[in-house]
Amino acid sequence: SSDVCSSDLILVNQYSGLSYALMNSANAAKTGSYIVPVNDGSIPKEHQYFSASDESVMNLKLSGNSSSFKGSFINDLSGTYANVEKNISNNLSRASVDNLNNNFSSASTVFIVNGDKGLADAMSIAPVSYRDKTPILFTTKDGNKIDGYSKKSGVNYVVVGGNKVVSDSLAKEYNATRLAGDTRYETNKAVLDRYYPNRDVAYFTNGDTLVDALSSVHMTKDDGIVLVNNKKNHNLLHFF
C-alpha cells in the first residue's frame, strides 16, 4: 500500500531489537508505519502519546524474538489496540526470509547483511531499504548462508559488509555486488557513495552503539546516515 497511516506502528525492543527494526525498514515504508522502540514490558513515556486517545484504530506489529516482549505486555496490548500482529521468531535469518516471501516476493533488488555481526552495515543500508522499499535478508551468524532461501533469477543481490561477516562463497552463490570497507565506517562510506552521491545533508549517529539509530530510517531515507564515534571522525568531512 502507498497510503501513509500514522496509526500503524512496528514495535521493537529498544535494547535487543535493532536487527528486527532494520529488517522492517522496507515494511515501514510500504505500510506507512513508524518503527517504535519499546521496553519488553511497556511503552516508554516518550511514546505514550501514541496510546493516548485512539487505541481503537491503531494497528500494532510486534517484531522480535521470544524474549523481546513479556507475555503480559502482549496481552495488555491485545486488549487495548484495534489489531496486534505478532511476528516473533528466534531465527533471524529465517524471519527475514519469511518477511521477504510474505511482503516483497517480487522485489528486483535484495540486500544481504549479517544480522548478528553486521548490524552497523544493516544500519548503513536501512535508509536505502526504506526509500526504495527494498528488503533486507539476514545471513546466519557465520555469514555462510541464508536460512531457507535460494537465489532467484532476475534479482539483483547486494551484499553489505566485508567477507568476515558475509562469506565470499555466499556472495558468489548469489552473484552479488559487495559494498564493503575494512571497517564499518568505510562500509558506511561505500553505501553513501553508491546510493547518495549528491547528498548535501548529513545525519550522524553513534556507529559503536547504534541504539540511537533505531527510529532514524524515516528521516534519513533521502540523505542516508553517517556513522561516527566520539574518538575520531574517520575522515567523514571527505564525504561531502
Side-chain angles (χ1 to χ4, degrees), residues 3-236:
D3 294 332
V4 176
C5 178
S6 61
S7 62
D8 292 341
L9 308 177
I10 299 172
L11 305 188
V12 297
N13 187 297
Q14 66 174 323
Y15 299 108
S16 61
L18 179 59
S19 54
Y20 292 92
L22 300 176
M23 182 182 73
N24 276 286
S25 297
N27 301 63
K30 181 179 179 181
T31 61
S33 302
Y34 290 104
I35 297 174
V36 180
V38 301
N39 300 319
D40 62 356
S42 65
I43 298 176
K45 63 180 182 180
E46 293 83 358
H47 293 309
Q48 288 298 321
Y49 61 89
F50 283 127
S51 57
S53 61
D54 52 357
E55 292 99 336
S56 63
V57 296
M58 294 182 73
N59 301 305
L60 304 186
K61 174 183 174 182
L62 284 75
S63 183
N65 58 38
S66 59
S67 62
S68 296
F69 310 102
K70 293 179 180 178
S72 57
F73 180 46
I74 295 176
N75 291 337
D76 287 344
L77 294 174
S78 298
T80 303
Y81 293 90
N83 180 55
V84 177
E85 176 186 352
K86 298 181 288 293
N87 291 103
I88 306 299
S89 175
N90 290 324
N91 184 330
L92 180 62
S93 182
R94 180 59 68 92
S96 70
V97 171
D98 290 343
N99 181 53
L100 184 150
N101 289 337
N102 292 334
N103 300 299
F104 301 97
S105 58
S106 61
S108 59
T109 298
V110 173
F111 298 125
I112 299 174
V113 189
N114 188 313
D116 182 61
K117 303 174 185 176
L119 285 182
D121 303 327
M123 186 66 253
S124 291
I125 204 64
V128 187
S129 174
Y130 185 95
R131 183 192 68 185
D132 298 343
K133 299 181 180 67
T134 300
I136 296 173
L137 282 180
F138 286 122
T139 70
T140 51
K141 290 184 177 182
D142 59 14
N144 290 327
K145 68 175 183 176
I146 300 168
D147 197 356
Y149 184 81
S150 299
K151 178 184 176 184
K152 292 180 170 54
S153 62
V155 176
N156 173 41
Y157 294 97
V158 180
V159 167
V160 185
N163 59 13
K164 292 181 180 179
V165 291
V166 178
S167 69
D168 286 330
S169 60
L170 188 150
K172 182 178 180 180
E173 176 184 351
Y174 288 87
N175 193 27
T177 301
R178 187 189 292 272
L179 293 176
D182 291 336
T183 68
R184 63 181 58 188
Y185 300 99
E186 292 180 11
T187 297
N188 177 241
K189 183 180 186 302
V191 169
L192 290 169
D193 287 347
R194 170 73 176 270
Y195 293 105
Y196 299 101
N198 300 313
R199 62 196 177 276
D200 56 7
V201 175
Y203 292 94
F204 295 90
T205 195
N206 189 312
D208 292 334
T209 63
L210 299 172
V211 65
D212 295 326
L214 269 177
S215 303
S216 70
V217 293
H218 313 85
M219 70 178 69
T220 60
K221 63 183 178 67
D222 294 323
D223 300 288
I225 192 164
V226 181
L227 303 184
V228 296
N229 66 19
N230 61 3
K231 297 179 181 178
K232 52 185 177 179
N233 67 9
H234 302 273
N235 296 317
L236 290 175

